[in-house]
Amino acid sequence: MIKFLDLKRINKQYEVEFQKSFKNFLCSGSYVLGNEVTKFEEEFALYCGTKYCKGISNGLDALQLIFEGYKTLGVLKEGDEVIVPANTYIATVLSVSNTGLIPVLAEPDIKTYNLDPKEVEKIITKRTKAILGVHLYGSLYNVSALETIVKKYNLLLIEDAAQAHGAVNIDGRKAGNVSNAAAFSFYPTKNLGALGDAGAVTTNDGALASVITRMRHYGRTSSYENDIKGHNCRLDEIQAAFLRVKLKYLDTNNNKRRYIARRYFDSIKNKNIKIPSYKDFNQHVFHLFVIRSEKRNVLKDYLYSVGIESFIHYPVPVHKQLAYKEYKDFNFPITEQIHNEVLSLPLNPMMKDVEITRVIDAVNAFSSI
Ligand SMILES: *Cc1c(COP(=O)(O)O)cnc(C)c1O
């Protein structure tokens, strides 16, 4: 069986370095917000090209601290509208509603699966105060078009970069540095994955970085003083140590992902299957390789029967989830088509050439009748 993602195989290769990191960590005696978190923040800010990086407990908390931070700074207030893509993972939308803001869902562009700037502009109102863009599946949103819109309407642009560590825009800026503030997740399955929960905020906004530093740590300004009502959303010290090991290999691993994606693009030819086209591979880090088929469920079962595991990202759109029953009568035909047709093929840096070939051959041999 070709697994969709074998996390043990992904992490086993770093075992010796992880053990060395663990030993240093154990002997440091400093288990929360120690040297490893500080060093990781410096290294990841340098990697993304931002002035600041703040280690946070996970990706959802990172997004929420950005919104709470901007509320504390008086830039956002309760009830402000934030535009989000309707086809994203539910965590994106939760970060908005959990912080007292109103998520306004936007239809994506079916060719890129990312926000369609024309659709975004259509739903801007006087209450719109921010756009939360997602680099879905590892592909950057349309940076220049969204930047033009936020300038024109004086909005914040926030990035959900949970799937796009290392993606580079045509102007050389990386994911994490193409907005006012970005949230990363280092959940184990992500391109840069910890061995547990972890996340970060990157930004060039010094005031935001400062308020998030306090907010992740009870709102503390010093040991005995708290100037805002905060949380406990700190990045774990041991996860920071593991992330420092894996950050060194992120570009190599992303290039392996691009190589596999290139092979899929060049060799998958089946009239029942649609493959999105990408002009610039640097803008994509292929967190997921997502194809579409009207016969998606048949295709998934067929692949499994020939020993290939695939996944659906995501089968149920946010507006059809019970958690968001207030949206249940909304009509998002493009989003619903995406959720009905998408299928993610196995793609990870540990895949062998024979496995890639087996996936290609199996997909090409699929016939829907
Ligand atoms: C993984 C993910 C998140 C949430 O990150 P966690 O670390 O699991 O909280 C948010 N948005 C997107 C697009 C994700 O893929």
Side-chain angles (χ1 to χ4, degrees):
M1 176 68 67
I2 298 178
K3 279 199 178 185
F4 181 71
L5 182 63
D6 185 346
L7 283 177
K8 184 174 150 194
R9 189 163 155 196
I10 298 274
N11 287 305
K12 192 86 172 126
Q13 53 183 328
Y14 309 115
E15 187 171 357
V16 173
E17 285 188 77
F18 284 158
Q19 276 170 348
K20 212 170 122 219
S21 291
F22 176 75
K23 199 157 175 240
N24 286 341
F25 160 77
L26 180 67
C27 297
S28 76
S30 174
Y31 304 133
V32 174
L33 291 184
N35 191 46
E36 297 291 342
V37 168
T38 307
K39 282 275 190 264
F40 174 72
E41 289 175 341
E42 286 168 16
E43 288 161 7
F44 199 62
L46 190 69
Y47 180 84
C48 295
T50 54
K51 283 193 193 143
Y52 309 98
C53 168
K54 294 293 158 193
I56 307 294
S57 38
N58 57 61
L60 176 60
D61 284 345
L63 280 169
Q64 290 180 178
L65 288 200
I66 292 172
F67 288 121
E68 280 203 37
Y70 276 125
K71 281 171 82 178
T72 304
L73 292 171
V75 179
L76 293 175
K77 60 174 191 323
E78 201 85 6
D80 283 346
E81 290 182 0
V82 179
I83 293 173
V84 296
N87 62 318
T88 186
Y89 182 57
I90 194 165
T92 315
V93 187
L94 286 172
S95 74
V96 178
S97 51
N98 285 352
T99 51
L101 305 167
I102 316 262
V104 177
L105 305 181
E107 283 269 71
D109 180 338
I110 195 146
K111 291 195 295 295
T112 63
Y113 304 129
N114 272 329
L115 275 177
D116 181 343
K118 287 192 296 294
E119 292 294 322
V120 169
E121 213 164 353
K122 267 193 226 160
I123 56 177
I124 291 175
T125 70
K126 280 196 183 61
R127 292 177 302 278
T128 309
K129 290 292 172 320
I131 298 171
L132 173 51
V134 182
H135 308 307
L136 201 66
Y137 307 147
S139 169
L140 290 184
Y141 54 56
N142 188 335
V143 174
S144 61
L146 290 186
E147 284 181 337
T148 304
I149 292 174
V150 295
K151 225 185 226 156
K152 183 168 162 194
Y153 295 94
N154 194 25
L155 312 173
L156 289 172
L157 180 57
I158 311 295
E159 262 168 278
D160 180 340
Q163 304 189 353
H165 323 69
V168 192
N169 193 36
I170 28 178
D171 60 11
R173 282 181 299 159
K174 278 193 184 144
N177 192 21
V178 289
S179 65
N180 294 93
F184 285 90
S185 166
F186 308 116
Y187 186 77
T189 57
K190 312 284 179 177
N191 286 32
L192 179 59
L195 304 184
D197 276 308
V201 171
T202 56
T203 182
N204 294 309
D205 182 337
L208 183 72
S210 160
V211 79
I212 285 177
T213 307
R214 282 170 279 150
M215 204 163 254
R216 73 173 174 188
H217 197 32
Y218 319 120
R220 266 169 60 143
T221 40
S222 70
S223 297
Y224 302 112
E225 286 166 305
N226 304 63
D227 67 344
I228 49 175
K229 295 187 188 83
H231 304 272
N232 178 347
C233 295
R234 303 173 294 231
L235 171 61
D236 201 26
E237 179 78 357
I238 187 64
Q239 297 304 337
F242 294 147
L243 286 168
R244 290 185 67 205
V245 170
K246 289 181 78 174
L247 179 58
K248 291 185 291 181
Y249 303 100
L250 177 59
D251 284 341
T252 308
N253 284 331
N254 280 343
N255 283 331
K256 283 191 201 157
R257 288 174 180 274
R258 290 186 181 113
Y259 162 77
I260 301 167
R262 179 72 74 185
R263 286 205 54 197
Y264 285 166
F265 273 115
D266 291 346
S267 308
I268 293 177
K269 289 184 175 69
N270 184 326
K271 63 176 171 31
N272 297 304
I273 288 161
K274 291 185 200 72
I275 306 184
S277 65
Y278 294 101
K279 282 179 236 90
D280 180 358
F281 266 49
N282 283 327
Q283 289 188 37
H284 207 319
V285 289
F286 297 97
H287 172 59
L288 298 169
F289 191 90
V290 179
I291 61 174
R292 282 200 341 265
S293 173
E294 284 167 25
K295 303 274 168 14
R296 190 264 314 277
N297 293 342
V298 186
L299 173 62
K300 187 173 191 303
D301 291 345
Y302 154 79
L303 287 174
Y304 194 79
S305 76
V306 297
I308 295 164
E309 203 178 32
S310 58
F311 243 80
I312 301 169
H313 298 91
Y314 302 91
V316 184
V318 172
H319 68 285
K320 296 293 178 196
Q321 297 281 2
L322 256 181
Y324 283 102
K325 49 184 173 304
E326 61 271 34
Y327 295 154
K328 74 175 188 317
D329 298 325
F330 285 18
N331 197 16
F332 294 109
I334 299 169
T335 298
E336 281 162 40
Q337 187 190 347
I338 288 174
H339 288 263
N340 286 329
E341 295 186 353
V342 288
L343 189 69
S344 307
L345 298 178
L347 190 163
N348 68 75
M350 293 304 282
M351 271 180 96
K352 300 190 183 81
D353 267 305
V354 288
E355 293 174 317
I356 302 163
T357 305
R358 257 188 67 198
V359 173
I360 293 167
D361 291 346
V363 172
N364 284 343
F366 172 67
S367 105
S368 63
I369 20 146

